[in-house]
């Protein structure tokens, strides 16, 4: 395994642990969120040693996130990482990187539903979280929770959706944003390969 691949695997392990910590103890995010307030100069966010980031809402989105997380009730942790959901997430990461996109819609018009449906049947709710420009667990979680510029705060909402129990994760370089992380969340999922094996046994 290449050093970069190992680093990505470590980050993804940290991220699933971080997601479950956030879901079961939302207030654990508050210190990291509050520490970001002092890094703003109007809409410009600057961390020491990193390229400044121009945000759409400035501290408004961050302050709203702090209030929201302070009121957020714990939800059950995710139960498992599903390999095929991770493959769907990786497909989208690769597409975003190659095409230079930053949306939930793929360059081929694919949607969250269609990408997951390449690998199996999903049941209940399905969600996708995207984060650009962050390469640490804390940075990714904070950015997803703040959800700057996203009116419905869909990343935050999906992160704390109580019915989600399964996930898939992928992380990749992105030529214009530096990095992209994709998290697929589902209530239920049946792998096409598993279904075929059951039919053969019958």
């Amino acid at each position: 395994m290449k050093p970069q691949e190992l680093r990505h695997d470590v980050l993804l392990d940290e991220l699933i642990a971080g997601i479950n910590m956030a879901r079961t103890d939302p207030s654990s995010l508050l210190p990291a969120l509050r520490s970001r307030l002092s890094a703003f100069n109007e809409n410009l966010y600057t961390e020491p040693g990193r390229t400044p980031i121009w945000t759409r809402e400035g501290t408004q989105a961050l302050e709203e996130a702090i209030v929201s997380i302070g009121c957020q009730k714990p939800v059950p942790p995710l139960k498992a990482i599903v390999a095929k959901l991770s493959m769907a997430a990786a497909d989208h990461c690769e597409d975003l990187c190659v095409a230079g996109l930053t949306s939930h819609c793929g360059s081929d018009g694919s949607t969250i539903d269609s990408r997951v449906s390449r690998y199996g049947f999903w049941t209940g709710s399905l969600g996708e979280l995207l984060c650009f420009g962050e390469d640490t667990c804390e940075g990714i979680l904070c950015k997803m929770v703040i959800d700057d510029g996203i009116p419905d705060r869909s990343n935050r909402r999906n992160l704390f959706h109580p019915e989600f129990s399964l996930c898939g994760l992928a992380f990749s370089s992105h030529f214009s944003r530096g990095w992209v992380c994709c998290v697929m969340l589902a209530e239920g999922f049946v792998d096409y390969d598993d279904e075929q094996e059951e039919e053969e046994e019958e």
Side-chain angles (χ1 to χ4, degrees):
M1 182 179 291
K2 297 179 181 178
Q4 187 177 38
E5 292 175 345
L6 178 60
R7 177 175 175 272
H8 288 184
D9 286 347
V10 170
L11 174 60
L12 294 178
D13 287 342
E14 292 176 351
L15 187 55
I16 185 60
I19 288 173
N20 278 337
M21 173 63 77
R23 285 172 66 89
T24 57
D25 182 14
S27 64
S28 65
L29 289 170
L30 289 175
L33 290 171
R34 288 173 177 149
S35 70
R36 293 187 160 226
L37 286 169
S38 61
F40 274 91
N41 180 7
E42 295 185 350
N43 284 40
L44 193 65
Y45 177 77
T46 306
E47 285 187 29
R50 306 197 68 170
T51 303
I53 299 171
W54 185 261
T55 65
R56 295 182 184 179
E57 301 177 69
T59 58
Q60 180 180 340
L62 174 54
E63 289 168 348
E64 180 201 305
I66 291 172
V67 172
S68 176
I69 294 302
C71 300
Q72 175 66 49
K73 294 181 179 180
V75 296
L78 301 174
K79 296 177 181 178
I81 299 175
V82 178
K84 291 299 176 69
L85 290 178
S86 292
M87 291 172 70
D91 286 348
H92 196 42
C93 277
E94 181 179 359
D95 183 36
L96 293 175
C97 179
V98 172
L101 300 174
T102 58
S103 73
H104 292 286
C105 182
S107 63
D108 58 355
S110 64
T111 62
I112 303 170
D113 181 352
S114 64
R115 288 189 290 274
V116 171
S117 295
R118 295 168 185 165
Y119 299 102
F121 299 103
W122 59 274
T123 59
S125 297
L126 185 68
E128 180 180 75
L129 286 67
L130 292 176
C131 176
F132 297 89
E134 296 288 347
D135 61 351
T136 67
C137 176
E138 181 180 293
I140 291 169
L141 285 174
C142 283
K143 204 158 191 178
M144 287 179 171
V145 167
I146 297 168
D147 236 2
D148 175 69
I150 308 300
D152 65 357
R153 309 300 191 210
S154 56
N155 279 322
R156 186 195 307 160
R157 187 180 68 248
N158 282 327
L159 183 65
F160 292 103
H161 192 308
E163 301 303 322
F164 286 138
S165 61
L166 306 174
C167 77
L169 306 93
F171 181 78
S172 176
S173 59
H174 189 281
F175 88 91
S176 65
R177 295 297 186 92
W179 304 100
V180 56
C181 178
C182 179
V183 180
M184 289 285 189
L185 297 169
E187 283 189 54
F189 180 80
V190 178
D191 189 324
Y192 289 142
D193 293 338
D194 292 342
E195 184 186 45
Q196 184 175 359
E197 289 178 3
E198 291 179 3
E199 291 178 350
E200 290 175 353
E201 290 177 358
E202 292 176 359

